[in-house]
Amino acid sequence: MPDLFALNSNTFHLGSYSLTVSKGLYATKIRMNCLTPVVNTKQLPKSFKILSQELPSIFKSKCFNDQDYPFMEEAKRTELGHLFEHIMLEYICMGKMEKGLRRVSVSGVTDWNWRVDPYGTYNITLRVGKIDQTVIDEALKKTILLFDSILDTRYLHTKKQIASS
């Protein structure tokens, strides 16, 4: 994987999706554009298993959603931008704890409006800013790696279906 932050760009093209990252003083904004028709974890049947194995602490995070589901339930059928937000928040919390903080709270929100924006576009706002630059950068790298492994499960699943037809 290339060193994303050695580039002089805030936009990263990552195959199945692209990210535009804007770091402000008190918030980090990420615009995600999914370049595939896959936009929900329902379409990625192994996503829950991968999260359970690679980042089990994510299921302890709070999630505010319309149905008031805990994230463990929400993760099984949520939009990919929302999943990306939760993975990123978890890695940010872990990074802050590694720096010695005992209690960490970071929040975020993911919005989308596919009547205005292209299908698969998400606007993610994380309430963490430039003071945590190194934590954000490291969390983004880890999030991309985990998110890519989750997206790969769809392609593996599709290839198996094609091979067996």
Side-chain angles (χ1 to χ4, degrees):
M1 174 168 197
D3 184 358
L4 298 175
F5 298 95
L7 305 172
N8 289 328
S9 170
N10 288 330
T11 300
F12 310 106
H13 301 282
L14 300 156
S16 303
Y17 61 102
S18 66
L19 302 172
T20 301
V21 181
S22 304
K23 297 174 196 152
L25 193 55
Y26 301 108
T28 298
K29 296 185 181 227
I30 301 171
R31 185 170 173 97
M32 170 187 264
N33 295 303
C34 291
L35 306 173
T36 68
V38 175
V39 295
N40 194 291
T41 56
K42 285 186 294 192
Q43 298 164 287
L44 301 166
K46 293 186 181 177
S47 59
F48 189 84
K49 182 178 179 183
I50 292 170
L51 287 172
S52 297
Q53 291 172 341
E54 301 297 324
L55 192 63
S57 60
I58 196 169
F59 297 122
K60 295 178 185 174
S61 67
K62 281 280 190 194
C63 182
F64 300 95
N65 54 70
D66 294 340
Q67 291 77 26
D68 203 26
Y69 290 140
F71 190 69
M72 181 171 269
E73 285 303 310
E74 182 73 6
K76 295 175 185 175
R77 60 189 172 293
T78 194
E79 289 69 19
L80 294 186
H82 184 228
L83 177 65
F84 192 93
E85 170 206 336
H86 271 270
I87 294 171
M88 184 82 178
L89 288 171
E90 190 63 23
Y91 281 130
I92 289 169
C93 286
M94 291 168 74
K96 287 177 154 238
M97 291 177 82
E98 286 171 8
K99 289 186 172 261
L101 295 175
R102 290 182 188 211
R103 296 184 139 249
V104 177
S105 177
V106 181
S107 64
V109 65
T110 300
D111 294 308
W112 60 94
N113 182 343
W114 297 333
R115 291 184 188 129
V116 175
D117 294 321
Y119 182 79
T121 300
Y122 301 96
N123 296 296
I124 303 165
T125 303
L126 308 171
R127 306 273 185 307
V128 59
K130 287 189 176 183
I131 193 166
D132 292 309
Q133 178 81 36
T134 57
V135 172
I136 295 168
D137 291 350
E138 192 59 34
L140 184 58
K141 289 177 190 179
K142 290 177 179 179
T143 300
I144 289 168
L145 287 171
L146 180 55
F147 194 73
D148 283 351
S149 71
I150 290 169
L151 289 180
D152 281 347
T153 63
R154 183 187 73 88
Y155 297 113
L156 293 173
H157 183 69
T158 303
K159 286 178 185 177
K160 285 179 186 174
Q161 283 180 330
I162 292 169
S164 65
S165 331

